[in-house]
Structures are given as C-alpha cells and as structure tokens.
Amino acid sequence: AAADGLGSIAIDTTQLNMSVTDPTAWATAMNNLGMVPVGLAGQQLVTDSICVPGFDPSLSMMTGITPINPMIPGMGLVPPPPPTDVPVVKEIIHCKSCTLFPPNPNLPPPSTRERPPGCKTVFVGGLPENATEEIIQEVFEQCGDITAIRKSKKNFCHIRFAEEFMVDKAIYLSGYRMRLGSSTDKKDSGRLHVDFAQARDDFYEWECKQRMLAREERHRRKMEEDRLRPPSPPAIMHYSEHEAALLAEKLKDDSKFSEAITVLLTWIERGEVNRRSANQFYSMVQSANSHVRRLMNEKAAHEQEMEQAKESFKNALTGILTQFEQIVAVFNASTRQKAWDHFSKAQRKNIDIWRKHSEELRNAHSEQLMGIRREEEMEMSDDDSGDNPSKKLRVDDSGKAKSLYNVK
C-alpha cells in the first residue's frame, strides 16, 4: 500500500499517526497544532503542498527565513519553525519501482558539506548497483524539475535541478535506505547519501547573476547621483555679429543683464576682440558701464527703504517704552502703603515679581532706543564735518560716476 503521508507528528512521548487522505482527521490534527490544513491528494513521493509548480524561492531567500523540513505534508511554502518538543518522524515512501525506508530517528541527521553559492546540483551516493537512471529520476523528480542526471558506473550520480530551492527537498532524502521492488538482493538495496555538489555551471550562473545585480546597483546609484547633481551651466555660444547684436540688447535689460555680462566676459577672455569687432565690443562695454547707474539708483532706493524701516522701528519702540513706563507706574502705585496693606502675602509676592520684570524690560528697551539716537547723532555729526575722509571719498566717487555717465 502506498503511503499517503510522508510524516507523522510525535508530541512529547506520544506519536500520532493518521492517514492524510482522511480530511476530517487531518484537519483536526492541523487545528490542534495551530496550522492551516492543506488538502493532499494522490500517492506521491512528495506531496502537492511541497512540490508547487509556482513555488517562489524568494519567499525564503529574501527574508532570510529558512523553511523547515520541506517534505512534511500539509505545510506551507515557508512554514513556521516547529516547536522543540514536537520531533518529526520520517515514514516509509513507496514508489512504483522502489521503496524508501526512513533512517533510525535516534541517529543524528546526516552531515552535509558547506553549501556552494548558487548550488543547483546534488551528489547522490549509496545507490543500489541495479538502480537505473529512470529509477533515479522517478525518485527525485518530485523534488523539482531535473535538468540533467549524470550517473557514474559506481553507485553514485549527480542531479542538477532547475532552481536552487529544489536542492533542499532532495537533501531531505539523505539517510533513506532504498530497495528496488521486493528484492532482498544486496545489489538491489543501498543507503542514500545526498549532499551539496560543487558544479561549475552552478557557480558560473551564480556569478552571472551577481554581475547583473552589481550592474543594476551601479545604474541605480548613477541615476540617483545624476538626479542630485546640480544642473550644469548652459554652454556659451560663439561670437558672431548677429549674436553680438542680440547681446547688446540683453545688456540693456535688467532681467537679462547677469546672463549677458557672463557671455561678454567669456568672449573677451576667448580673444574675440580684434580690429574689426573692437567698436562693437566697446559699445557693449559702455552698456555695462551704464548699468552702474541703475545699480546705484537701486542701492539708493534700498537705503531709503532701510531708513524708513529704522524710523518706523524707532517710533514703535518709543510707543512700547511709553506703555512700559505706564505699567511700571501702576506697579509702583500698588506698592505704596495705601494699597499694599490690602493685598495678601501671595499677591504682594506676585506684584513685586511683576514689577521687577517690567522694570528690567523697560530699561532694556530704553537702552536700545538711546543707542539708536546716539547712532543718529553720530551720523549727523559726520555729515556736518567737512574734514571727514569718508565724506570726501563719497563726494569723489559721485563726481567720478557723473563724469563716467557723461562720457558718450
């Protein structure tokens, strides 16, 4: 009789065995274990819940969660780790051409070598001498799609699967004793040893995948750097009479002057000035000089705005200081004997604190206002002084500016 289930659950010292094909019993057992029951059908070496055609290996590879024994029937793709007090007991597996007997559960699990990167190939040793390639494929094809079987004349072979996660299912069969049919001949039996194999094809595919991931990472970083890099300044066009005429118009426009003066400077540094273009360049330089008057007017307008803001601030500060004087006068009147005796001790304490705080603020604002007035007096004294070198410098600068503006 074929075995419907590949595993049985043993809780503490009591083992619970049941047929997977009984939906009621199986659902009750899974509910008691806190697992979602999965319907299993047919007599297979590996159940449908494990050999899912659309199995996604990234579920375990990406999250770093290692699935438990993949051959346990009814478990999900990435099942939770089993409780430590619920050991898993392997059962007999029946195939068409052979039978697999589980190893002794009291023995330690078979040892395996370190898993090579990108491993898709397993080494299978301990095969019966009469085991054919068809029998081997029948046993291991339920673990996944097999791409190649390389059988040796001795009792071992190499099996390459289509995906890496299929190797984990094949490793589960390590330790099983294989018997062909019902024969008791020594050549028809053997103990399987399944281990990871180092294959050049696997390593080459893994290296190609790593290089592809590295290229994608470099491309992603480059795209991010390009996105964060500040834009490059526009290229400066070459000199021509047409471009020079356009540039002369831009130099007269306040909104385009900064861009135009940069182009003019670049042309002059490139050596575009010659006998033929000298007059044109002189006209553009004169336009740049004319912009000085606009800048001086703009500065004067800003200075006037600043003076108005200072005057407005001084007036506001004077009003604030006047109100502070009134508030302090109220506190001083409250501390006189006529009113002070009628306040409680807590009220007197608060009034005294408020009075001191208001006096500190009044004194600070008064000092600030006096500082503004001293600055105004110093500016007025500087304006009245005829020997002030800064005034002479301003007068000389204004005279030079006027003379430059009159130059045509």
Side-chain angles (χ1 to χ4, degrees):
D4 294 324
L6 298 181
S8 62
I9 306 300
I11 303 176
D12 294 335
T13 57
T14 305
Q15 294 187 357
L16 178 63
N17 296 323
M18 63 188 66
S19 176
V20 178
T21 55
D22 186 357
T24 304
W26 182 247
T28 303
M30 290 296 99
N31 184 52
N32 293 336
L33 292 175
M35 303 178 184
V36 179
V38 179
L40 303 176
Q43 299 177 359
Q44 301 180 358
L45 173 62
V46 183
T47 60
D48 292 335
S49 61
I50 301 301
C51 294
V52 179
F55 184 89
D56 186 6
S58 62
L59 293 177
S60 61
M61 299 295 290
M62 297 301 294
T63 59
I65 304 175
T66 305
I68 63 171
N69 198 328
M71 301 294 285
I72 302 177
M75 305 300 284
L77 298 181
V78 186
T84 55
D85 57 346
V86 183
V88 177
V89 179
K90 300 180 180 180
E91 289 188 348
I92 300 176
I93 301 173
H94 296 274
C95 301
K96 294 181 180 179
S97 305
C98 62
T99 305
L100 300 179
F101 296 92
N104 188 348
N106 298 324
L107 296 178
S111 60
T112 58
R113 60 177 295 179
E114 183 179 357
R115 182 171 190 152
C119 180
K120 296 182 181 179
T121 306
V122 294
F123 166 83
V124 182
L127 292 170
E129 295 184 10
N130 295 332
T132 61
E133 186 173 322
E134 290 74 14
I135 296 177
I136 297 173
Q137 183 165 0
E138 178 187 350
V139 173
F140 287 93
E141 67 181 356
Q142 295 296 332
C143 298
D145 295 335
I146 297 176
T147 59
I149 298 178
R150 295 187 295 272
K151 187 176 183 302
S152 174
K153 294 181 179 180
K154 298 184 179 180
N155 303 337
F156 71 89
C157 70
H158 288 85
I159 303 175
R160 189 167 192 259
F161 294 95
E163 301 293 340
E164 294 183 28
F165 71 93
M166 301 174 182
V167 173
D168 298 323
K169 300 179 182 181
I171 295 294
Y172 175 82
L173 296 177
S174 184
Y176 268 84
R177 185 165 56 87
M178 183 176 181
R179 186 177 68 183
L180 304 182
S182 58
S183 174
T184 57
D185 192 352
K186 184 177 181 181
K187 294 183 178 182
D188 293 331
S189 64
R191 187 172 299 278
L192 300 180
H193 174 69
V194 186
D195 198 354
F196 301 109
Q198 182 78 48
R200 286 178 295 180
D201 294 341
D202 296 345
F203 188 71
Y204 175 75
E205 290 183 3
W206 179 80
E207 282 187 329
C208 292
K209 184 177 181 181
Q210 296 302 313
R211 285 194 292 268
M212 181 187 67
L213 295 177
R215 286 194 299 270
E216 292 178 355
E217 179 66 16
R218 288 195 300 269
H219 178 70
R220 186 191 64 79
R221 290 183 180 180
K222 185 178 182 301
M223 294 293 290
E224 186 68 16
E225 292 174 358
D226 293 343
R227 186 180 66 84
L228 299 177
R229 184 182 295 113
S232 302
I236 304 298
M237 74 286 292
H238 292 284
Y239 169 79
S240 66
E241 293 184 359
H242 175 70
E243 293 293 343
L246 296 177
L247 186 65
E249 296 297 327
K250 291 182 179 179
L251 288 170
K252 299 176 184 179
D253 189 352
D254 292 345
S255 61
K256 300 179 180 178
F257 179 80
S258 299
E259 176 187 354
I261 199 68
T262 304
V263 177
L264 178 59
L265 176 62
T266 304
W267 284 353
I268 295 175
E269 291 178 347
R270 285 179 181 175
E272 301 289 351
V273 182
N274 50 41
R275 288 176 178 247
R276 184 178 178 180
S277 61
N279 292 334
Q280 204 166 17
F281 272 97
Y282 177 78
S283 176
M284 290 186 289
V285 172
Q286 189 177 19
S287 299
N289 179 64
S290 300
H291 192 73
V292 175
R293 179 182 299 175
R294 295 195 294 268
L295 293 177
M296 295 299 294
N297 294 335
E298 185 178 352
K299 178 185 175 184
H302 289 305
E303 288 178 348
Q304 185 178 1
E305 292 178 0
M306 185 175 63
E307 292 297 332
Q308 293 176 355
K310 284 184 178 180
E311 187 67 22
S312 177
F313 176 71
K314 185 179 70 172
N315 295 335
L317 191 60
T318 303
I320 292 173
L321 185 60
T322 302
Q323 295 182 17
F324 267 118
E325 292 288 355
Q326 295 172 350
I327 294 173
V328 171
V330 170
F331 287 136
N332 290 333
S334 300
T335 56
R336 294 194 183 105
Q337 195 71 25
K338 293 181 180 180
W340 191 254
D341 293 340
H342 298 285
F343 293 120
S344 64
K345 185 176 180 181
Q347 292 173 344
R348 293 177 185 177
K349 182 178 179 180
N350 290 335
I351 292 174
D352 189 53
I353 293 174
W354 295 339
R355 180 181 61 81
K356 292 180 181 179
H357 186 245
S358 298
E359 288 179 351
E360 291 176 358
L361 293 176
R362 179 200 62 184
N363 296 336
H365 285 78
S366 179
E367 290 179 2
Q368 188 176 8
L369 183 60
M370 292 300 296
I372 294 175
R373 290 175 177 174
R374 282 195 297 268
E375 290 179 359
E376 291 179 350
E377 292 175 358
M378 291 177 63
E379 290 177 358
M380 292 177 63
S381 63
D382 291 341
D383 293 340
D384 294 339
S385 176
D387 298 334
N388 194 330
S390 61
K391 182 178 180 182
K392 288 184 178 181
L393 181 60
R394 289 197 297 271
V395 172
D396 295 341
D397 290 343
S398 61
K400 290 180 181 179
K402 290 180 180 179
S403 63
L404 289 172
Y405 299 149
N406 297 327
V407 175
K408 300 294 183 184

